């Protein structure tokens, strides 16, 4: 019996999570997988009402689940950073979800903004370091709000944090068994301390994986290659901030935020799955947002729980929906409502 914590969050989070849970329920019924969900109302509305973002005891409670399923974090009436740092990043850090796994895969029937690229060309996975780098939150101001103001924001990398991320990436690449090529995306020509650590650790650990071909690209060149020759990539491993940026680009080349799924993984603990697109406040409550990213995140959650067959069933159903049913992945242009898209996936599941 899996115990799943559900955090629908802000904006369109609750709408897409509802569809994800609809699909989860259908596939688990078919496969005889038992689970129970507990919902938590953390997010912007609760913060505005009570001032509470994420109580300490909630974190302890969340450790007791097998997985966390998250909608979105971000509220237009809350100052930037409060919820992001207080809720999303705090969970990622405290639960030591040190990997952010983000597949970039063009599904059949999905319109790709890159000319002449097909699903065969766009199928790679970004392994984003998720607990360090520019996201550590260290730094500060001196003489704030004066002409002498100094602002420091530190990039923190540890040997421990970099190594565990790299090891995960090498293992992932091996088990994915595709082209067995791992690209380190960094900026060793400028970040000559932090990324020198990445570079040395990448090559040292790489020696333990003779079956994996090592490849390197600076982050700017990675952006170029993702547009020009995305077929080059198999698995990309990258520091936190670069991973944030290149996976938005990745989402675009796979057809849009409406399909981009992700998982914050603690391989030894509790992982958290979320569509990467954010809360899209302007679409809240309109039934226009695409739930496929949330549905695919649900599939990633099943996969991480060890239910890879059920996960594959969801992905297959989603591919049928993108191939023959919905017109576009964009909010409001799908030809169906949010809830109808969830229904379509459920229908394809039972047709299979
Ligand atoms: C993401 C988001 C977050 C990040 C924000 C909301 C803090 O953009 O999950 O990619 O930067 O990691
Ligand atoms: Mn992002």
């Amino acid at each position: 019996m899996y115990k799943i914590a559900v955090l629908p969050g802000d904006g369109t989070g609750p709408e897409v999570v509802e569809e994800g849970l609809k699909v989860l329920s259908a596939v688990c019924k078919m496969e005889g997988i038992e689970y129970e969900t507990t919902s938590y109302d953390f997010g912007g509305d609760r913060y505005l009402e009570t001032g509470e973002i994420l109580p300490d005891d909630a974190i302890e409670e969340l450790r007791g689940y097998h997985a966390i399923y998250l909608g979105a974090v971000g509220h237009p009436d809350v100052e930037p950073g409060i919820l992001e740092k207080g809720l999303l990043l705090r969970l990622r850090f405290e639960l030591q979800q040190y990997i952010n796994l983000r597949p970039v895969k063009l599904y059949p029937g999905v319109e790709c903004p890159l000319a002449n690229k097909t699903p065969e060309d766009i199928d790679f996975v970004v392994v984003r370091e998720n607990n360090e780098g520019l996201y550590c939150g260290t730094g500060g101001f001196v003489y704030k709000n004066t002409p002498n103001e100094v602002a420091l924001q530190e990039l923190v990398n540890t040997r421990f944090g970099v190594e565990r991320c790299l090891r995960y990436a090498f293992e992932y690449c091996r088990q994915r068994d595709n082209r067995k090529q791992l690209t380190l995306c960094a900026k060793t020509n400028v970040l000559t301390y932090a990324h020198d650590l990445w570079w040395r650790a990448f090559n040292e650990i790489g020696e333990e994986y003779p079956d994996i071909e090592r490849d390197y690209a600076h982050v700017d060149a990675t952006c170029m290659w993702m547009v020009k020759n995305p077929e080059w990539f198999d698995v990309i491993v990258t520091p936190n901030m670069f991973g944030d940026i290149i996976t938005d680009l990745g989402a675009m080349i796979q057809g849009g935020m409406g399909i981009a799924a992700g998982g914050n993984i603690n391989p030894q603990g509790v992982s958290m799955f979320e569509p990467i697109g954010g809360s899209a406040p302007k679409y809240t409550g309109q039934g226009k947002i695409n739930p496929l990213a949330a549905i695919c995140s649900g599939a990633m959650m099943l996969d991480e729980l060890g239910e890879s067959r059920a996960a594959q069933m969801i992905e297959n159903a989603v591919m049928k929906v993108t191939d023959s049913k919905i017109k576009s992945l964009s909010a409001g242009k799908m030809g169906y409502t949010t809830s109808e898209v969830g229904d379509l996936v459920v229908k394809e599941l039972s047709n299979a």
Side-chain angles (χ1 to χ4, degrees), residues 73 84 88-89 92 100 102 128 135 244 248 274 276:
V73 171
E84 290 84 348
L88 183 62
L89 299 183
R92 287 178 182 171
N100 196 324
R102 296 185 163 183
R128 167 186 176 189
Y135 279 71
D244 178 45
D248 267 27
E274 52 168 341
I276 81 173

Side-chain angles (χ1 to χ4, degrees), residues 180-249:
K180 293 206 176 181
Q181 171 191 275
L182 181 62
T183 303
L184 171 64
C185 161
K187 190 78 181 174
T188 54
N189 54 347
V190 174
L191 304 177
T192 49
Y193 309 122
H195 290 192
D196 185 64
L197 169 57
W198 274 89
W199 171 249
R200 280 179 288 118
F202 180 63
N203 289 305
E204 276 165 35
I205 293 169
E207 291 296 310
E208 295 169 32
Y209 296 87
D211 51 323
I212 308 294
E213 193 182 325
R214 267 172 273 156
D215 174 49
Y216 176 83
H218 291 317
V219 62
D220 46 353
T222 302
C223 292
M224 178 188 77
W225 291 120
M226 276 173 69
V227 171
K228 192 172 183 290
N229 292 111
E231 64 279 3
W232 175 257
F233 295 114
D234 177 10
V235 179
I236 298 177
V237 63
T238 190
N240 209 341
M241 178 58 88
F242 292 171
D244 178 45
I245 297 166
I246 69 169
T247 53
D248 267 27
L249 177 57

Side-chain angles (χ1 to χ4, degrees), residues 5 11 36 48 64 74 90-91 103 115 125 143 149 180 223 227 261 319-320 344 350-351:
E36 59 178 33
L48 291 170
R90 181 143 182 245
L91 284 171
V125 178
Y143 309 123
E149 175 160 355
K180 293 206 176 181
C223 292
V227 171
M319 287 197 280
K320 287 205 186 107
L344 286 174
S350 34
N351 285 347

Side-chain angles (χ1 to χ4, degrees), residues 129-144:
E129 200 290 317
N130 212 31
N131 280 174
E132 297 197 338
L134 280 165
Y135 279 71
C136 274
T138 53
F141 296 107
V142 191
Y143 309 123
K144 191 174 176 189

Side-chain angles (χ1 to χ4, degrees), residues 8-17 71-72 278-286 289 338:
D10 300 318
T12 52
E15 297 163 58
V16 297
V17 156
S279 58
K282 68 175 177 186
Y283 292 117
T284 305
Q286 299 178 12
I289 198 83
T338 304

Side-chain angles (χ1 to χ4, degrees), residues 55-238:
D56 293 343
D57 57 349
I59 297 201
E60 289 320 307
E61 210 173 299
L62 288 170
R63 286 187 210 279
Y65 287 89
H66 292 99
I68 303 170
Y69 189 46
L70 176 79
V73 171
H75 195 292
D77 302 336
V78 180
E79 199 186 307
I82 306 245
L83 297 168
E84 290 84 348
K85 285 170 94 168
L87 186 51
L88 183 62
L89 299 183
R90 181 143 182 245
L91 284 171
R92 287 178 182 171
F93 279 55
E94 297 233 4
L95 299 176
Q96 289 285 293
Q97 294 159 344
Y98 60 86
I99 298 296
N100 196 324
L101 195 62
R102 296 185 163 183
V104 178
K105 187 166 175 177
L106 180 65
Y107 284 137
V110 172
E111 199 188 328
C112 176
L114 307 180
N116 308 319
K117 296 296 177 190
T118 67
E120 271 177 28
D121 300 312
I122 300 177
D123 183 6
F124 60 92
V125 178
V126 177
V127 176
R128 167 186 176 189
E129 200 290 317
N130 212 31
N131 280 174
E132 297 197 338
L134 280 165
Y135 279 71
C136 274
T138 53
F141 296 107
V142 191
Y143 309 123
K144 191 174 176 189
N145 289 322
T146 75
N148 301 338
E149 175 160 355
V150 180
L152 295 173
Q153 191 100 39
E154 291 155 352
L155 195 174
V156 179
N157 275 135
T158 66
R159 185 79 194 197
F160 170 77
V162 170
E163 271 195 18
R164 68 179 177 176
C165 174
L166 287 168
R167 250 177 233 292
Y168 181 94
F170 276 109
E171 290 289 339
Y172 186 89
C173 188
R174 177 179 275 172
Q175 160 239 294
R176 174 172 152 93
D177 198 16
N178 195 302
R179 283 175 42 229
K180 293 206 176 181
Q181 171 191 275
L182 181 62
T183 303
L184 171 64
C185 161
K187 190 78 181 174
T188 54
N189 54 347
V190 174
L191 304 177
T192 49
Y193 309 122
H195 290 192
D196 185 64
L197 169 57
W198 274 89
W199 171 249
R200 280 179 288 118
F202 180 63
N203 289 305
E204 276 165 35
I205 293 169
E207 291 296 310
E208 295 169 32
Y209 296 87
D211 51 323
I212 308 294
E213 193 182 325
R214 267 172 273 156
D215 174 49
Y216 176 83
H218 291 317
V219 62
D220 46 353
T222 302
C223 292
M224 178 188 77
W225 291 120
M226 276 173 69
V227 171
K228 192 172 183 290
N229 292 111
E231 64 279 3
W232 175 257
F233 295 114
D234 177 10
V235 179
I236 298 177
V237 63
T238 190

